[in-house]
Amino acid sequence: MADTTARSGLTPQQWDEEFFVEYLQNHPFKPYMGTGENSIFQIKEDLTKKKGDSVTFALVNKLSGAGVTGRTTLEGNEEEMDSRSFSIAVDKRRNGVRIAEIDEQFNAFSLRQAGKVVLKDWAMEADIDRIYQALLSINGVAYASASEAQKDAWLVDNADRVLFGASKSNASSNDHSTSLANIDSTNDKLTTAALSLMKRIALSATPKIRPIRIEGTNRRVLVAFAHPRAFRDLKEGTALQQAMREVSLANQNNKLFQGGDVEWDGIIVHECDGMPILTGVGNGGIDVAPVFLCGAQALGMAVAKRWVSKTEQFDYGDKQGVAIEAIDGLKKMLFGSGAGDTDDLKQHGVVTGYFAGVADA
């Protein structure tokens, strides 16, 4: 009687599935990711089932007309739906490690296990950095690479969803650099009042930024991703300290709520380690810390291939390498607000806030 043994060819699939599950379980932004329109980070995997180099996200704005009443004829008075599109291109991302097998048996499974932790950490950190860069980006251009003209043009189109410091009056003639220079270290810290102002901006913007619904409840919330220096200033306020004592127990079972998060006025505030700081651009040369207040469909992610692994031997088998690769794309959602489909792009689900970010003494 022959024993049944596991086929070596199945090992990669088992490892890949385990890697992907662990990757998602440990991803700090997992609570905000999903395939539906209620997610802050909306994921589309259309290209996993068909060929293509990009995925298109659609937006249909709500109707704004008054309709007809009484005996008024509806035929010929129908309202046109305002639909827009946003495309995200995909690209291959990959990394690998090479491991000497002097003291262990040559085995693809053990090699994959040895490299899994460091490769998973790399993939996760790379994704987190991409999220920060996407949130900070100027119409798809990395903030550090965007010209002043591009930043000013972005501000013109997004004036109803950008806040410089604690007051809307800090915005100076839609000049991005001048507006940043109005942010001072005393009056323009992130506070509960500033958070509430950002919320009012989100709900009054055109189109407005939609809060996300907490699963299993009737609650709708916005989520703010804050630089650690802005988060520090927020926590020092007495109003928030009192609120933290009152809501801490209620949020223990909230799936969106993570350790260290705080809540104010229907906003969950998440401290983001590693978020970029804008150095020396504020009043008197102070640093400015970004805060992103997000609702539904703030970022989009197109996936053509989930993370998979590959192995290769080098130096007559003395060394073996393991690599991971994925094909995807991630961007801040931008939909046109002008006459054409993509004219006058607006960031769809984000209010961008800039606040004083003075370093600790």
Side-chain angles (χ1 to χ4, degrees), residues 74-115:
L74 178 59
E75 184 177 353
N77 291 311
E78 298 89 350
E79 184 175 349
E80 180 182 1
M81 291 192 301
D82 183 18
S83 60
R84 306 281 177 159
S85 66
F86 178 63
S87 180
I88 297 180
V90 298
D91 200 359
K92 177 178 282 191
R93 298 188 297 132
R94 57 180 180 164
N95 201 355
V97 293
R98 191 181 300 191
I99 304 171
E101 294 291 299
I102 297 175
D103 298 319
E104 63 180 349
Q105 182 180 0
F106 290 92
N107 185 300
F109 180 78
S110 65
L111 170 62
R112 292 171 185 269
Q113 289 297 108

Side-chain angles (χ1 to χ4, degrees), residues 347-359:
Q347 52 191 39
H348 178 62
V350 185
V351 174
T352 298
Y354 301 103
F355 294 93
V358 179

Side-chain angles (χ1 to χ4, degrees), residues 122-345:
W122 171 84
M124 196 175 303
E125 290 298 325
D127 270 356
I128 292 171
D129 184 63
R130 287 202 302 164
I131 288 171
Y132 293 155
Q133 295 299 330
L135 286 169
L136 194 59
S137 65
I138 303 296
N139 285 346
V141 179
Y143 186 89
S145 302
S147 66
E148 285 302 314
Q150 288 174 318
K151 292 175 182 176
D152 291 347
W154 167 82
L155 184 55
V156 169
D157 293 333
N158 291 274
D160 63 341
R161 55 198 68 215
V162 179
L163 178 64
F164 294 92
S167 173
K168 295 172 74 172
S169 62
N170 282 333
S172 180
S173 302
N174 288 327
D175 186 297
H176 190 269
S177 59
T178 301
S179 300
L180 286 175
N182 289 332
I183 299 173
D184 70 60
S185 59
T186 302
N187 300 311
D188 294 311
K189 296 178 180 179
L190 179 64
T191 63
T192 53
L195 271 179
S196 293
L197 176 56
M198 291 183 75
K199 178 180 178 179
R200 293 194 295 274
I201 289 172
L203 298 181
S204 62
T206 306
K208 80 173 186 178
I209 293 168
R210 293 187 294 111
I212 59 173
R213 183 180 62 258
I214 296 179
E215 185 179 352
T217 73
N218 291 323
R219 290 193 63 208
R220 290 181 175 272
V221 298
L222 295 165
V223 178
F225 301 107
H227 188 279
R229 295 184 192 175
F231 193 78
R232 169 203 63 195
D233 294 336
L234 176 66
K235 290 197 300 181
E236 289 179 353
T238 56
L240 184 70
Q241 290 173 3
Q242 178 62 32
M244 288 172 64
R245 288 191 289 269
E246 294 173 355
V247 304
S248 58
L249 293 177
N251 278 307
Q252 286 182 358
N253 295 321
N254 186 339
K255 293 181 179 180
L256 294 180
F257 212 79
Q258 303 179 33
D261 288 356
V262 297
E263 183 176 358
W264 174 262
D265 194 16
I267 303 168
I268 296 175
V269 188
H270 183 64
E271 182 179 17
C272 295
D273 297 335
M275 182 180 285
I277 193 93
L278 307 183
T279 306
V281 297
N283 185 275
I286 67 167
D287 296 342
V288 170
V291 176
F292 304 102
L293 182 66
C294 296
Q297 295 178 294
L299 280 81
M301 187 171 187
V303 178
K305 182 167 72 172
R306 293 180 174 183
W307 290 110
V308 296
S309 64
K310 293 183 177 181
T311 59
E312 189 168 343
Q313 290 190 349
F314 306 90
D315 193 16
Y316 299 94
D318 182 62
K319 297 179 178 62
Q320 295 192 48
V322 59
I324 57 169
E325 64 181 32
I327 301 178
D328 60 28
L330 186 149
K331 283 187 176 182
K332 180 165 56 179
M333 292 272 219
L334 303 168
F335 290 102
S337 61
D341 182 20
T342 57
D343 292 345
D344 304 327
L345 292 172

